[in-house]
PDB file of all heavy atoms in Angstrom:
ATOM      1  N   GLY A 149      -2.981   4.877   1.651  1.00  0.00           N
ATOM      2  CA  GLY A 149      -3.130   4.917   3.192  1.00  0.00           C
ATOM      3  C   GLY A 149      -3.890   6.122   3.699  1.00  0.00           C
ATOM      4  O   GLY A 149      -4.710   6.145   4.495  1.00  0.00           O
ATOM      5  N   ARG A 171     -27.333  12.355  20.945  1.00  0.00           N
ATOM      6  CA  ARG A 171     -28.008  13.692  21.220  1.00  0.00           C
ATOM      7  C   ARG A 171     -28.474  13.686  22.705  1.00  0.00           C
ATOM      8  O   ARG A 171     -28.439  14.722  23.275  1.00  0.00           O
ATOM      9  CB  ARG A 171     -29.094  13.936  20.360  1.00  0.00           C
ATOM     10  CG  ARG A 171     -28.689  14.320  18.983  1.00  0.00           C
ATOM     11  CD  ARG A 171     -29.813  14.800  18.141  1.00  0.00           C
ATOM     12  NE  ARG A 171     -29.272  15.299  16.843  1.00  0.00           N
ATOM     13  CZ  ARG A 171     -29.948  15.819  16.002  1.00  0.00           C
ATOM     14  NH1 ARG A 171     -31.277  15.992  16.214  1.00  0.00           N
ATOM     15  NH2 ARG A 171     -29.400  16.288  14.819  1.00  0.00           N
ATOM     16  N   GLN A 172     -28.893  12.559  23.234  1.00  0.00           N
ATOM     17  CA  GLN A 172     -29.416  12.582  24.597  1.00  0.00           C
ATOM     18  C   GLN A 172     -28.356  12.081  25.625  1.00  0.00           C
ATOM     19  O   GLN A 172     -28.629  12.211  26.828  1.00  0.00           O
ATOM     20  CB  GLN A 172     -30.614  11.661  24.740  1.00  0.00           C
ATOM     21  CG  GLN A 172     -31.918  12.224  24.208  1.00  0.00           C
ATOM     22  CD  GLN A 172     -31.934  11.905  22.679  1.00  0.00           C
ATOM     23  OE1 GLN A 172     -31.387  10.941  22.214  1.00  0.00           O
ATOM     24  NE2 GLN A 172     -32.651  12.735  21.929  1.00  0.00           N
ATOM     25  N   TRP A 180     -24.743  19.281  28.817  1.00  0.00           N
ATOM     26  CA  TRP A 180     -24.200  19.455  30.152  1.00  0.00           C
ATOM     27  C   TRP A 180     -25.016  20.462  31.011  1.00  0.00           C
ATOM     28  O   TRP A 180     -25.038  20.216  32.252  1.00  0.00           O
ATOM     29  CB  TRP A 180     -22.766  20.022  29.920  1.00  0.00           C
ATOM     30  CG  TRP A 180     -21.824  18.929  29.472  1.00  0.00           C
ATOM     31  CD1 TRP A 180     -22.120  17.705  29.172  1.00  0.00           C
ATOM     32  CD2 TRP A 180     -20.467  19.159  29.027  1.00  0.00           C
ATOM     33  NE1 TRP A 180     -20.956  17.023  28.711  1.00  0.00           N
ATOM     34  CE2 TRP A 180     -20.021  17.969  28.567  1.00  0.00           C
ATOM     35  CE3 TRP A 180     -19.685  20.269  28.933  1.00  0.00           C
ATOM     36  CZ2 TRP A 180     -18.776  17.819  28.026  1.00  0.00           C
ATOM     37  CZ3 TRP A 180     -18.377  20.112  28.432  1.00  0.00           C
ATOM     38  CH2 TRP A 180     -17.950  18.853  28.030  1.00  0.00           C
ATOM     39  N   THR A 185     -33.796  29.519  31.837  1.00  0.00           N
ATOM     40  CA  THR A 185     -35.175  29.947  31.981  1.00  0.00           C
ATOM     41  C   THR A 185     -35.212  31.238  32.884  1.00  0.00           C
ATOM     42  O   THR A 185     -34.469  31.305  33.706  1.00  0.00           O
ATOM     43  CB  THR A 185     -36.083  28.910  32.636  1.00  0.00           C
ATOM     44  OG1 THR A 185     -35.486  28.601  33.915  1.00  0.00           O
ATOM     45  CG2 THR A 185     -36.120  27.631  31.866  1.00  0.00           C
ATOM     46  N   ARG A 214     -21.068  63.942  46.792  1.00  0.00           N
ATOM     47  CA  ARG A 214     -20.272  64.513  47.833  1.00  0.00           C
ATOM     48  C   ARG A 214     -20.863  64.283  49.201  1.00  0.00           C
ATOM     49  O   ARG A 214     -20.299  64.329  50.226  1.00  0.00           O
ATOM     50  CB  ARG A 214     -20.191  65.999  47.601  1.00  0.00           C
ATOM     51  CG  ARG A 214     -19.427  66.353  46.244  1.00  0.00           C
ATOM     52  CD  ARG A 214     -18.029  66.727  46.566  1.00  0.00           C
ATOM     53  NE  ARG A 214     -17.392  67.093  45.315  1.00  0.00           N
ATOM     54  CZ  ARG A 214     -16.156  66.658  44.799  1.00  0.00           C
ATOM     55  NH1 ARG A 214     -15.613  65.856  45.603  1.00  0.00           N
ATOM     56  NH2 ARG A 214     -15.720  67.063  43.736  1.00  0.00           N
ATOM     57  N   VAL A 245      -0.426  46.518  50.343  1.00  0.00           N
ATOM     58  CA  VAL A 245      -0.857  45.362  50.970  1.00  0.00           C
ATOM     59  C   VAL A 245      -1.687  45.732  52.186  1.00  0.00           C
ATOM     60  O   VAL A 245      -1.241  46.406  53.123  1.00  0.00           O
ATOM     61  CB  VAL A 245       0.379  44.541  51.360  1.00  0.00           C
ATOM     62  CG1 VAL A 245      -0.087  43.161  51.981  1.00  0.00           C
ATOM     63  CG2 VAL A 245       1.286  44.214  50.063  1.00  0.00           C
ATOM     64  N   GLU A 263      -3.453  69.159  45.162  1.00  0.00           N
ATOM     65  CA  GLU A 263      -2.633  70.319  45.034  1.00  0.00           C
ATOM     66  C   GLU A 263      -1.480  70.247  46.011  1.00  0.00           C
ATOM     67  O   GLU A 263      -1.674  69.914  47.149  1.00  0.00           O
ATOM     68  CB  GLU A 263      -3.445  71.606  45.301  1.00  0.00           C
ATOM     69  CG  GLU A 263      -4.420  71.890  44.242  1.00  0.00           C
ATOM     70  CD  GLU A 263      -3.810  72.204  42.832  1.00  0.00           C
ATOM     71  OE1 GLU A 263      -2.756  72.739  42.772  1.00  0.00           O
ATOM     72  OE2 GLU A 263      -4.497  71.689  41.787  1.00  0.00           O
ATOM     73  N   ASN A 315       3.955  52.707  56.640  1.00  0.00           N
ATOM     74  CA  ASN A 315       5.012  53.258  55.826  1.00  0.00           C
ATOM     75  C   ASN A 315       4.614  54.257  54.834  1.00  0.00           C
ATOM     76  O   ASN A 315       3.393  54.590  54.675  1.00  0.00           O
ATOM     77  CB  ASN A 315       5.837  52.135  55.177  1.00  0.00           C
ATOM     78  CG  ASN A 315       5.149  51.565  54.015  1.00  0.00           C
ATOM     79  OD1 ASN A 315       3.980  51.642  53.881  1.00  0.00           O
ATOM     80  ND2 ASN A 315       5.853  50.833  53.096  1.00  0.00           N
TER      81      ASN A 315
END
Side-chain angles (χ1 to χ4, degrees):
R171 286 189 173 181
Q172 287 83 28
W180 289 351
T185 57
R214 301 261 185 225
V245 178
E263 292 296 324
N315 72 340

